[in-house]
Amino acid sequence: MTRHENLFGFVALAALWGASYPAIRAARAGVEPLLMAALRFDAIGLVVLAYAVARGQRIWPSAGDARTVLVGGVGIIAIHNGLLFAGQARVSGAVGAVVLATVPIWSVGFAAAFLDTAQPTPSRVAGVCLGLVGTAVLAVPGPTAVDAPDPVGVALLLASAVAFALAAVGLRRESPQLGVAARQGWMMLVGGPLLHVGSVLAGEAQTVAVTSRVVVAFGYLVLAAGVVGYLLYFALLDRLGPVEINLVGYVAPVFATLVGWLWLDEVVSGGTVAGFVVICVGFALVKRRALQGALRAASR
């Protein structure tokens, strides 16, 4: 891919994933959040595995692959997405995208604790603290605020971001042999049934009210944000590296805000903007050296 194609792919991924936040809220009108997440990953897992078969890839996991599938299926698909869908049902798409933008910050903290790959320098510690401050700005209303997001929703989303970061660091310990599509497909087929169990235990109604809005939102979450988004993400990860691809989380809130405004009439509060700015500063501190290296490389 050329640089322009990489840029187009990056923006497309940010748009696909950013729009998924208001899509979750739209689908919430017809199905409970955990059941929606479970059905989504049932469908994505089958489609992605079928894609791997069509490409002639090996799909049966080895023992090492099985560990990877369990870590990703339980940590990322079940826990992360269960908390994400539950939290996103309570706040706007813009707020959800902003809180999930803290994932790279927590990833550095967990890598320092468990992998010894990111030492806790003062700038990194300050960045992690700013990530918490930015999230608090979103959740805690000021003395004159009337439009602060639901703090329970923000807390669930923060726990979702932390769960994703912890599982992602755990995946770095593994050396899978399966291709990306097969690996992701099995993760989703492990996480999907766990989400079904969580839905039942949470007492959710096991019904779906089929409306045009729910069908469009769910179709988008499965095919566009799910199948296309995940495959595009891993293709760009190989080409751009983890630093540049992590920046998707800082562009996604723009698309989440636009789609939420146009489709659901969501309004962005000043606290959401302020929280996003604080989180961006935290990310810059955590990834300061990597960002400097990426900028130098881009200027050559």
Side-chain angles (χ1 to χ4, degrees):
M1 296 176 89
T2 65
R3 177 172 296 186
H4 294 296
E5 289 172 331
N6 285 338
L7 177 61
F8 176 80
F10 179 92
V11 174
L13 180 61
L16 287 169
W17 281 2
S20 68
Y21 295 96
I24 292 172
R25 281 183 60 81
R28 173 69 178 84
V31 58
E32 297 289 349
L34 292 180
L35 179 59
M36 174 177 29
L39 294 172
R40 181 196 185 200
F41 286 107
D42 291 342
I44 297 175
L46 291 174
V47 172
V48 171
L49 270 183
Y51 171 83
V53 171
R55 294 292 301 270
Q57 298 177 6
R58 182 173 67 85
I59 65 168
W60 299 112
S62 65
D65 294 321
R67 289 193 301 271
T68 298
V69 167
L70 284 174
V71 172
V74 175
I76 293 179
I77 303 303
I79 298 176
H80 159 67
N81 278 283
L83 293 167
L84 168 62
F85 276 64
Q88 189 59 70
R90 307 174 73 105
V91 300
S92 71
V95 170
V98 168
V99 177
L100 267 292
T102 62
V103 166
I105 298 175
W106 315 134
S107 296
V108 169
F110 288 129
F114 300 117
L115 298 179
D116 296 327
T117 59
Q119 297 304 313
T121 63
S123 64
R124 285 175 176 152
V125 172
V128 171
C129 291
L130 281 176
L132 285 170
V133 170
T135 307
V137 169
L138 290 173
V140 180
T144 61
V146 295
D147 55 356
D150 181 349
V152 174
V154 174
L156 288 169
L157 289 165
L158 178 60
S160 171
V162 171
F164 184 97
L166 183 58
V169 168
L171 287 174
R172 293 186 196 176
R173 293 175 173 269
E174 305 298 333
S175 301
Q177 299 175 353
L178 278 182
V180 168
R183 193 162 69 243
Q184 291 294 314
W186 283 118
M187 287 180 188
M188 292 168 186
L189 293 183
V190 166
L194 292 175
L195 286 165
H196 278 290
V197 172
S199 174
V200 172
L201 293 177
E204 292 185 346
Q206 300 299 298
T207 58
V208 178
V210 179
T211 66
S212 58
R213 172 174 282 192
V214 170
V215 170
V216 170
F218 188 75
Y220 179 86
L221 289 169
V222 171
L223 297 175
V227 175
V228 176
Y230 276 105
L231 293 175
L232 180 57
Y233 170 81
F234 284 104
L236 289 171
L237 179 63
D238 289 340
R239 296 180 181 277
L240 300 178
V243 175
E244 289 189 57
I245 201 63
N246 273 340
L247 294 175
V248 164
Y250 294 86
V251 182
V254 176
F255 292 98
T257 301
L258 289 174
V259 174
W261 172 59
L262 292 171
W263 191 15
L264 303 177
D265 296 323
E266 293 179 346
V267 178
V268 181
S269 69
T272 301
V273 176
F276 181 59
V277 170
V278 174
I279 290 168
C280 284
V281 174
F283 174 80
L285 288 173
V286 165
K287 293 286 190 178
R288 179 172 57 87
R289 293 180 181 176
L291 288 171
Q292 288 172 342
L295 289 172
R296 284 195 297 268
S299 64
R300 291 172 184 169

